[in-house]
Amino acid sequence: MEASDGDLVDRALAGDHQAFAGLLKEHDESMRRLAGRIVGRSTMDDVLQDAYLKAYLNLGTFGRRSGFRSWLYSIVYRTCIDHLRMAGRRREVELDENLPSLASDHLASDRLADRVANRSLLRQAIADLSPDHAAVVLLVDGEGMTYDEAAGALDLVPGTVASRLNRARRHLR
């Protein structure tokens, strides 16, 4: 856990609401990427509001076995999955232009139209994955998390992350 996160967690546990807001501000961008890809941008803000409220109410359960970011990822991920189950609809998956593409690294063509088409194909392929498989792809390949970090965020063992990632990558190919 980063020193600044640890200090902010301590202050937030002591009742400093601004410290908790600082934690959320520090990690909001990556949480938005995750939630946006799982539930879509149209409902992302509502899901994040629910997740951030859960994090605030359960901050006392943060055991510091993993970093605050991984703990928050776990809450955001579970809230997204809960939202999908309650909504009973397919999720949207959106890729930010700033993130490294999972497919276009291997493309020979530099033409913009080809890149856009491939992003669209990749977006659809990720949308066709189960939420569990999509989550590991998004965390490991999209966010650059290690297997251990992704396992902590998803409450899994690293071997399960590795096997889900292997299956997901096979499906994406």
Side-chain angles (χ1 to χ4, degrees), residues 70 73-74 77 135-141 144-158 161-162 165:
S70 293
Y73 261 115
S74 178
Y77 170 73
V136 295
V137 168
L138 295 171
L139 293 179
V140 174
D141 290 337
M145 283 188 166
T146 66
Y147 288 11
D148 289 336
E149 290 170 330
L154 300 173
D155 292 328
L156 301 171
V157 295
V161 170
L165 187 59

Side-chain angles (χ1 to χ4, degrees), residues 24 31-32 34-40 43-58 70-89 91 131-132 135 139 153-155:
L24 294 183
M31 299 304 133
R32 287 185 171 283
L34 176 65
R37 289 186 203 130
I38 295 174
V39 299
T43 57
M44 170 184 67
D45 288 330
D46 292 336
V47 170
L48 283 175
Q49 183 176 4
D50 290 345
Y52 291 168
L53 178 61
K54 288 177 186 178
Y56 178 75
L57 295 173
N58 293 294
S70 293
W71 182 77
L72 188 58
Y73 261 115
S74 178
I75 292 171
V76 169
Y77 170 73
R78 285 190 306 249
T79 304
C80 288
I81 297 303
D82 290 346
H83 173 79
L84 290 174
R85 286 186 185 128
M86 289 185 344
R89 65 175 191 245
R91 69 199 177 281
D132 292 335
L139 293 179
L154 300 173
D155 292 328

Side-chain angles (χ1 to χ4, degrees), residues 5 23-31 68-69 72:
D5 279 359
L23 283 165
L24 294 183
K25 184 177 180 183
E26 177 71 26
H27 300 288
D28 186 62
E29 185 178 326
S30 56
M31 299 304 133
F68 179 81
R69 177 177 168 226
L72 188 58

